[in-house]
Amino acid sequence: MEFVKLSIQENVAVVTIDRPKSLNALNNQVYEEIIAHLEAVEANDQIKAVILTGAGSKAFAAGADIAQMVHQNAMEGRHLARLCHRSADLLETMRQVTIAAVNGYALGGGCELTLACDIRIAAENARFALPEVGLGIIPGGGGTQRLSRIIGVGRAKELIFTCDQIDAQEAWRIGLANHVVPQEELMDYCMAMAKKIASKASYAVSIAKSAINTSQNVDLPSGCTREQDLLGLLFATHDKQEGMEAFLERRAPHFTDF
Ligand code: DAK
């Protein structure tokens, strides 16, 4: 693929947006390639976690491609919307854990991709913003919905209405970034976290992800009912038996992913 690269290190996939001339701006082709890679990763049982990042040291992704959007009509805008939402939905709901390694600008559609990831790790030079209303549009890749769920309605409104950029420390302070690390340590940090997650019972991790996602969409009693059902299901798995027996026998577990 031309603009999005996939590499696999043991059981972790790294998806890298690589369009340096435009600071990794997201045109239709970039979104299509992200979707194709994520679909391939989701179908691969060997992969337990995904890191999404941008090539180079300056940008994760500086937003949707303004040079493309300026010429687009309503139907083309709708097509772009489908691509943005499909990318975000995959990151959010695929069974593998998704980690955004944010190296520089994560603006507009780039920021929205990070919002759809399960975990955001910011390099010290990361900058987040949703500049869309300054361009006469609104965040259209889930930003109006996901940002407020992560940082609260008041802060989300301020960021979207003002288009202000925030740095990595501010992103951490308001709960947008899980951690801030030196830029040169970003990928190692994310890889270590991905491998730690991959060492756990992966079916349980994916069920936990699904249950937490449910909490964002349903009332508390419905979410707790779902949690109980899912926990019951996990009691039928090999990994539950193995994990508990390994603890009692004081040895490392050998998980089989179900
Ligand atoms: N699109 C196209 N090209 C971009 C770009 C972008 N978003 N961002 C940067 N570039 C290009 C620049 O045009 C420049 O190209 P050349 O002139 O060299 O050919 C090159 O990247 C380097 O950029 P700069 O020269 O501007 O670099 P600086 O260091 O001076 O500034 C910057 C870096 C990131 C602050 C600046 O480039 C910038 O402000 N970029 C635009 C940021 C932005 O506004 N992004 C948000 C776009 S709106 C939708 C769903 C989602 C969306 C829309 C619709 N639907 C559902 C329909 C999402 C919208 C957005 O993301």
Side-chain angles (χ1 to χ4, degrees):
M1 300 223 192
E2 186 179 2
F3 293 136
V4 186
K5 312 296 181 205
L6 172 67
S7 67
I8 295 172
Q9 297 182 31
E10 295 173 32
N11 45 15
V12 178
V14 179
V15 176
T16 304
I17 304 165
D18 188 4
R19 201 180 167 222
K21 282 187 194 153
S22 53
L23 299 183
N24 301 330
L26 306 156
N27 63 12
N28 283 16
Q29 185 180 340
V30 175
Y31 279 118
E32 283 160 4
E33 293 183 15
I34 291 172
I35 291 166
H37 282 313
L38 293 178
E39 286 178 342
V41 165
E42 195 182 26
N44 185 338
D45 285 340
Q46 303 307 313
I47 298 175
K48 312 296 184 201
V50 183
I51 299 170
L52 178 65
T53 193
S57 56
K58 199 168 168 186
F60 175 87
D65 189 332
I66 301 170
Q68 174 190 270
M69 288 192 294
V70 70
H71 302 295
Q72 286 181 319
N73 62 27
M75 285 306 287
E76 289 162 336
R78 201 160 149 244
H79 179 62
L80 177 63
R82 275 202 296 274
L83 294 174
C84 296
H85 280 272
R86 176 71 184 141
S87 310
D89 288 350
L90 274 165
L91 289 164
E92 189 168 72
T93 64
M94 63 197 297
R95 61 195 168 72
Q96 294 96 341
V97 170
T98 54
I99 300 172
V102 187
N103 53 319
Y105 292 111
L107 309 180
C111 184
E112 289 175 314
L113 287 176
T114 77
L115 299 177
C117 289
D118 299 313
I119 293 165
R120 284 159 291 286
I121 308 298
E124 283 168 346
N125 72 333
R127 296 188 72 84
F128 296 82
L130 288 164
E132 282 87 345
V133 300
L135 297 168
I137 56 175
I138 62 169
T144 63
Q145 306 303 303
R146 292 193 178 91
L147 185 62
S148 58
R149 284 168 161 81
I150 295 168
I151 64 170
V153 171
R155 287 197 167 109
K157 284 181 173 170
E158 181 183 339
L159 279 181
I160 290 172
F161 297 164
T162 63
C163 305
D164 282 351
Q165 281 185 18
I166 58 169
D167 64 18
Q169 285 300 335
E170 177 67 358
W172 174 78
R173 193 184 70 81
I174 64 176
L176 182 55
N178 294 56
H179 300 278
V180 180
V181 299
Q183 182 165 28
E184 60 277 13
E185 294 171 21
L186 178 66
M187 290 312 291
D188 285 348
Y189 188 95
C190 291
M191 188 56 74
M193 181 182 279
K195 287 188 173 161
K196 180 190 278 189
I197 293 167
S199 74
K200 310 298 179 192
S202 64
Y203 186 60
V205 172
S206 72
I207 291 287
K209 170 170 173 169
S210 167
I212 297 166
N213 284 347
T214 298
S215 76
Q216 301 299 292
N217 300 317
V218 303
D219 58 84
L220 184 61
S222 305
C224 286
T225 299
R226 181 164 157 75
E227 183 185 83
Q228 293 165 53
D229 291 342
L230 291 170
L231 182 59
L233 170 68
L234 288 167
F235 268 62
T237 63
H238 164 274
D239 282 355
K240 167 261 174 188
Q241 206 59 31
E242 169 63 10
M244 295 188 183
E245 285 177 9
F247 172 80
L248 294 172
E249 293 163 14
R250 297 180 182 274
R251 61 172 174 80
H254 300 290
F255 292 126
T256 57
D257 305 332
F258 189 74

